Amino acid sequence: MAYNITLIPGDGIGPEVIYAAKKVIDASGVEINWEVVEAGSKVIDEYGTPLPDYVLESINKNKVALKGPVTTPVGKGFRSVNVALRKTFNLYANIRPIKTYEGVPSRYKDVDLIVVRENTEDLYAGIEHMVSEDIAESVKIISKKASDRIVKYAFELAKKENRKKVTAVHKANIMKLSDGLFLKCSKEMAEKYKEIAFEDVIVDAMSMKLVLNPEKYDVLVMPNLYGDILSDMASGLVGGLGIVPGANIGEDIAIFESAHGSAPDIAGQDKANPAATMLSGALMLKYLGEFKAADKIEKAIAKVLKEGKHVTFELGGNAGTKEFTEAVINEL
Ligand code: NAI
């Protein structure tokens, strides 16, 4: 069966890393009809927006997209394409698998955890106002519905991936109502998944514990703001954004993309590391149920990283995007 997938090349290094990932996915044997749709700064002049309707229509139709990074124009009044996609399709779960790969410089070994971040509320609900000229107020929204949904997602993910433990991260000792509700929902959900261990950790302690012993953690679930910060921090533990994939997942639509941005400083120079986008492609294949192909791609990337002969400059190598891609395809 061939899958119909929306492919959004994006801006900056986007097209380079996206076509590298597409090549690798095509070489894995899974049959995909790619529907390429352009978004971002290159379409603003023609369509008056970085996110034209045809992009939304394509995602709505195909239900799954692989996306390159999109530049957010500063001070031009456009809202971020990423925020707009998240809101339009109610992509409530942001997933960031964090894993050490041999050959990638990192202080740690054997890290293999997943950060599951609630994507729709918390301080990101955008409810802010000035109370007076000198006082600003931001409203933090935590609901039972969104907390139950994200914690359930984390437990289901743990079950599906044979993982042993879910850790809920919060600050309920101070924000007794909002984070208290998130914690209560987490504890209640844990009762329904007795086969998976559960613990809760306060976010400041979690930051320290992650830096000290990241290998002790498995699936971490948390509200939006803590997830934003800890998922980037955790990426740093294993060698940076160049090798960290990601996904934004909703009820029936999912968009897969690396965690890094459009890197305008190295765009068009055959310098970008496409590993994170390839690994996002592997995540997408898992989502589609193509576990063998996903595993094959991840192993091929791991081998090329370990060998170190064809890695890009930010990992200390001399290879370009194309050379890395060819090396991964050879391993496949
Ligand atoms: P960035 O992630 O694009 O770049 C930060 C640094 O990391 C730069 O030095 C860059 O060269 C390097 N880098 C990033 N990806 C790399 C890769 N694959 N291989 C080698 N080096 C890499 O972050 P920055 O500069 O803050 O953002 C640039 C633009 O990207 C902004 O317009 C921002 O809004 C957008 N952005 C888009 C995202 C998305 O569409 N998902 C996510 C993050 C940022």
Side-chain angles (χ1 to χ4, degrees):
M1 184 188 102
Y3 299 96
N4 297 321
I5 307 279
T6 298
L7 191 74
I8 306 169
D11 296 314
I13 59 169
E16 293 167 81
V17 293
I18 276 288
Y19 285 109
K22 174 183 176 296
K23 257 186 157 177
V24 165
I25 294 167
D26 287 339
S28 77
V30 178
E31 215 180 306
I32 292 181
N33 301 319
W34 299 99
E35 186 172 6
V36 180
V37 290
E38 294 291 350
S41 45
K42 59 187 129 180
V43 300
I44 290 180
D45 283 349
E46 195 174 339
Y47 293 93
T49 165
L51 187 60
D53 285 345
Y54 61 75
V55 180
L56 302 176
E57 282 157 18
S58 172
I59 299 173
N60 222 349
K61 182 177 61 168
N62 297 326
K63 308 291 181 210
V64 178
L66 183 63
K67 174 183 166 297
V70 171
T71 302
T72 303
V74 178
K76 285 196 188 158
F78 297 114
R79 70 174 179 161
S80 148
V81 166
N82 300 311
V83 174
L85 287 174
R86 228 172 278 166
K87 291 215 156 135
T88 306
F89 297 117
N90 199 13
L91 305 175
Y92 67 87
N94 178 270
I95 311 301
R96 194 93 65 91
I98 306 283
K99 196 169 166 181
T100 36
Y101 286 96
E102 270 185 77
V104 176
S106 157
R107 294 193 189 98
Y108 307 93
K109 271 202 302 206
D110 305 324
V111 178
D112 186 6
L113 60 88
I114 306 179
V115 179
V116 177
R117 162 186 172 193
E118 204 290 322
N119 228 359
T120 63
E121 52 180 30
D122 194 350
L123 280 161
Y124 292 61
I127 308 168
E128 285 194 306
H129 55 262
M130 297 304 293
V131 175
S132 70
E133 216 173 281
D134 302 325
I135 300 176
E137 184 173 65
S138 297
V139 180
K140 169 164 165 140
I141 303 284
I142 299 283
S143 71
K144 174 166 166 48
K145 184 176 169 218
S147 302
D148 280 344
R149 188 171 58 178
I150 196 71
V151 179
K152 182 164 191 242
Y153 185 90
F155 275 103
E156 284 295 324
L157 182 68
K159 208 163 110 179
K160 210 163 59 193
E161 299 221 342
N162 249 331
R163 288 174 177 264
K164 306 281 176 271
K165 185 171 73 172
V166 170
T167 304
V169 183
H170 62 89
K171 188 80 185 174
N173 54 330
I174 302 297
M175 281 162 277
K176 294 185 194 303
L177 294 182
S178 53
D179 281 25
L181 177 59
F182 180 81
L183 180 57
K184 182 167 176 276
C185 294
S186 305
K187 285 182 172 167
E188 282 171 5
M189 195 59 72
E191 289 296 315
K192 298 184 184 159
Y193 294 85
K194 293 266 193 217
E195 70 282 15
I196 297 164
F198 172 76
E199 65 179 355
D200 71 274
V201 180
I202 292 171
V203 63
D204 40 344
M206 188 73 241
S207 311
M208 181 190 68
K209 287 174 183 224
L210 267 182
V211 170
L212 285 175
N213 299 110
E215 65 288 340
K216 284 195 176 159
Y217 296 93
D218 211 347
V219 175
L220 306 176
V221 61
M222 60 201 84
N224 210 339
L225 177 63
Y226 312 143
D228 194 3
I229 298 167
L230 287 192
S231 60
D232 262 25
M233 192 196 86
S235 305
L237 300 177
V238 297
L241 297 176
I243 57 152
V244 176
N248 288 305
I249 295 182
E251 290 300 341
D252 64 342
I253 288 182
I255 301 181
F256 296 83
E257 65 177 325
S258 60
H260 61 72
S262 57
D265 52 332
I266 56 165
Q269 298 171 36
D270 192 34
K271 278 187 175 172
N273 182 2
T277 308
M278 291 175 181
L279 290 167
S280 305
L283 268 189
M284 180 186 84
L285 292 180
K286 274 203 218 170
Y287 177 86
L288 295 170
E290 297 286 347
F291 297 102
K292 264 194 192 160
D295 189 51
K296 227 163 62 171
I297 290 177
E298 202 197 333
K299 288 206 169 106
I301 293 169
K303 200 150 178 218
V304 175
L305 291 172
K306 184 177 174 186
E307 225 173 46
K309 276 197 233 153
H310 305 288
V311 298
T312 49
F313 80 101
E314 100 291 3
L315 297 181
N318 299 314
T321 313
K322 289 183 186 140
E323 186 181 324
F324 181 87
T325 307
E326 286 312 315
V328 173
I329 290 172
N330 281 339
E331 285 303 332
L332 279 175

